[in-house]
Amino acid sequence: MPDLTRSPFDPSSAQMQSMGQAVLDLVTRFVDDRYSAPTSDYGDLAPMLAALSAAPPDSGSDLAGLLATVRAAADKGFDPANPGFVAYIPGGGLYAAALGDFLACVLNRYTGVAQPAPALVQLEASVLRWLCDTFGLPTGSQGVLTPGGSMSTLSAVVAARVDRLGEAFSTGTLYVSDEVHHSVAKSAQIAGLPRAALRVVPTDAARRMDVEALRDMVHADRAAGAAPFLVVASAGTVGTGAVDPLADIAAVAADEDLWLHVDAAYGGFFQLTQRGRTMLQGIELADSITLDPHKGLFLPYGTGCLLARDGAALRRAHEVHADYLPPPSEDAGLPDFSSYTPELTRDFRGLRLWLPLHLHGVHAFVDALDEKLDLAREVYDALREIPSLEVPWPPDLSLVAFRPRDGSDADAQQLLDRINGTGRIWLSAAPVRGTLYLRVCILSHRTRPDRINEALDVIRAACS
Ligand SMILES: *Cc1c(COP(=O)(O)O)cnc(C)c1O
């Protein structure tokens, strides 16, 4: 007789144990292998892609075979979890976060609103409160976890638009530097702002936003009948890792009644370190901050965060209520997360932060981030010793950009290919004011002094 009381998808406990063990075997070997694995593998890709294009079968297949398929597929491409991965931008992933995700998926409690799982919502809210405190935001501030930095910035742009312009926003203008991440333009586009609304402020020699130019542009736009409402500062840019003068930009924002958003997707978590706090001074004046725990907290992809100084403003921009939902939570400690983002039903991302932070403790993250700052300094000093390289900017945080002195972009690309071809480190390149720069961006928990020393040897050899 078939058992009609239990789901056919629930294996027996013995089966769950052995299936879980098979996955654990894969995972533990995968992590151990990272240290010797090549940083990229694009070999024999076509047959694998062809083999992976099959539709799911009508009858099930064997787990061991499926895991082998996943394992082989995971090796293709470049490997952001590799200790040699210093491209923009590493994504190590923490084992403890993976355990948190596994738990969250099995528990599958509903955290879109507070009422169905108040204690789990509290657990997520406690991390968000700690983040608001870390960034010096006042009572009334509110954080929310998002799928990533782009989604955080989208919600921030919409909140700024609603808060400063209401429903008549066709003349609204927003200000970014010429080094800003493209997610801001994308957010403005999705938020329904006209293309011409985006004003690009020049950067200075250090590739930081020129604050006087910002002030002049705002005045000129206002005189021409536009409605300036938002300035986006970067705490770590894509091209050079520069941190904009946040306190000076905050002063302009205050004078001109602009919402100040700080894109700290790359650099934000250096706030946990003493040097980072000094560099990010002024971030506490922001109206909203984009953070990416899947970068600076080493968490798995899909973990973004938005902090808002005025939680109520963020809520007004997102909240729509329906009679079939529980009454809205008015408890600041137990927020309905869906009132602060476009999501209703959502990933329970909280555990992915809470478990590693509580398991390892905050100091473990501070030490790791401090080490990355030290390593970037060492890379800068060492690259400056190579006569054939131009290394223009000391690192504000953990990114060092360089290129062949007097070389063309093609020379820079060839240098990149020689370095990446070793399989021991993986760099990326990006144009800065139209000229291609290679960059070392150190932000993987696995990138330790040994690998950086080796990386420097690789770069020296590639330059000679
Ligand atoms: C990564 C990044 C983003 C985009 O974040 P996603 O998590 O990729 O959506 C935005 N700005 C900066 C500076 C970034 O580094």
Side-chain angles (χ1 to χ4, degrees), residues 12-288:
S12 70
S13 2
Q15 282 168 326
M16 281 195 268
Q17 292 278 355
S18 73
M19 292 165 80
Q21 190 58 52
V23 172
L24 265 185
D25 288 347
L26 185 161
V27 163
T28 47
R29 221 169 311 125
F30 180 83
V31 171
D32 289 345
D33 283 353
R34 284 317 84 201
Y35 294 89
S36 54
T39 49
S40 77
D41 176 7
Y42 286 91
D44 294 326
L45 190 55
M48 186 182 288
L49 296 184
L52 293 177
S53 63
D58 289 337
S59 322
S61 22
D62 170 54
L63 179 64
L66 297 173
L67 292 179
T69 300
V70 172
R71 181 66 183 81
D75 281 342
K76 293 300 168 194
F78 59 66
D79 176 18
N82 195 292
F85 192 91
V86 290
Y88 196 94
I89 196 170
L94 293 182
Y95 183 65
L99 295 180
D101 260 22
F102 182 57
L103 276 170
C105 288
V106 176
L107 303 175
N108 206 34
R109 298 302 293 260
Y110 195 90
T111 58
V113 292
Q115 197 206 51
L120 292 181
V121 165
Q122 174 61 64
L123 183 154
E124 181 167 329
S126 70
V127 179
L128 294 165
R129 180 46 46 203
W130 168 72
L131 284 174
C132 285
D133 292 346
T134 298
F135 284 86
L137 297 181
T139 316
S141 57
Q142 179 66 54
V144 68
L145 297 179
T146 69
S150 301
M151 294 297 281
S152 306
T153 298
L154 173 60
S155 279
V157 168
V158 171
R161 195 201 72 199
V162 170
D163 190 64
R164 300 301 155 103
L165 300 174
E167 295 194 346
F169 54 81
S170 62
T171 57
T173 52
L174 65 153
Y175 300 80
V176 298
S177 88
D178 56 22
E179 291 289 328
V180 81
H181 191 273
H182 75 281
S183 54
V184 180
K186 188 174 179 181
S187 295
Q189 178 177 311
I190 300 171
L193 290 153
R195 287 245 164 162
L198 192 75
R199 299 291 205 264
V200 180
V201 182
T203 44
D204 62 16
R207 301 301 181 263
R208 304 189 182 115
M209 184 185 281
D210 178 338
V211 181
E212 282 319 301
L214 166 67
R215 201 184 280 276
D216 292 346
M217 287 171 75
V218 170
H219 288 168
D221 284 340
R222 192 165 276 136
F229 75 100
L230 164 66
V231 56
V232 179
S234 302
T237 58
V238 199
T240 69
V243 178
D244 284 334
L246 303 178
D248 295 344
I249 295 172
V252 176
D255 291 347
E256 303 295 336
D257 192 27
L258 306 177
W259 179 289
L260 170 60
H261 179 69
V262 178
D263 178 1
Y266 151 54
F269 283 103
F270 288 105
Q271 175 79 358
L272 293 173
T273 70
Q274 184 109 47
R275 281 171 289 177
R277 272 195 299 284
T278 305
M279 188 52 74
L280 300 180
Q281 216 155 26
I283 200 166
E284 70 284 356
L285 301 169
D287 291 295
S288 51

Side-chain angles (χ1 to χ4, degrees), residues 248-394:
D248 295 344
I249 295 172
V252 176
D255 291 347
E256 303 295 336
D257 192 27
L258 306 177
W259 179 289
L260 170 60
H261 179 69
V262 178
D263 178 1
Y266 151 54
F269 283 103
F270 288 105
Q271 175 79 358
L272 293 173
T273 70
Q274 184 109 47
R275 281 171 289 177
R277 272 195 299 284
T278 305
M279 188 52 74
L280 300 180
Q281 216 155 26
I283 200 166
E284 70 284 356
L285 301 169
D287 291 295
S288 51
I289 303 171
T290 285
L291 296 173
D292 254 345
H294 63 209
K295 294 174 180 168
L297 278 186
F298 321 126
L299 297 183
Y301 291 141
T303 320
C305 179
L306 175 64
L307 305 181
R309 162 176 235 86
D310 177 3
L314 182 63
R315 184 167 165 175
R316 278 195 298 277
H318 290 86
E319 190 170 52
V320 174
H321 199 68
D323 293 342
Y324 43 78
L325 295 176
S329 167
E330 297 303 335
D331 179 346
L334 279 185
D336 292 333
F337 292 125
S338 63
S339 297
Y340 297 88
T341 72
E343 296 182 290
L344 175 58
T345 303
R346 63 196 286 281
D347 216 355
F348 174 38
R349 301 183 188 92
L351 209 48
R352 199 186 292 164
L353 281 86
W354 184 89
L355 191 63
L357 284 164
H358 282 258
L359 181 72
H360 300 296
V362 174
H363 281 175
F365 290 88
V366 176
D367 291 348
L369 288 164
D370 261 323
E371 183 186 70
K372 308 316 159 205
L373 293 174
D374 290 339
L375 290 173
R377 236 318 143 174
E378 283 167 33
V379 166
Y380 175 71
D381 291 341
L383 294 184
R384 297 256 295 177
E385 299 287 315
I386 304 176
S388 65
L389 291 184
E390 179 197 329
V391 196
W393 306 286

Side-chain angles (χ1 to χ4, degrees), residues 33-41 78-79 82-85 416-427 451 454-455 458:
D33 283 353
R34 284 317 84 201
Y35 294 89
S36 54
T39 49
S40 77
D41 176 7
F78 59 66
D79 176 18
N82 195 292
F85 192 91
L416 179 70
D417 294 343
R418 279 200 297 282
I419 293 168
N420 287 351
T422 62
R424 290 297 289 169
I425 68 169
W426 186 265
L427 273 56
R451 186 59 71 103
E454 189 183 343
V458 165

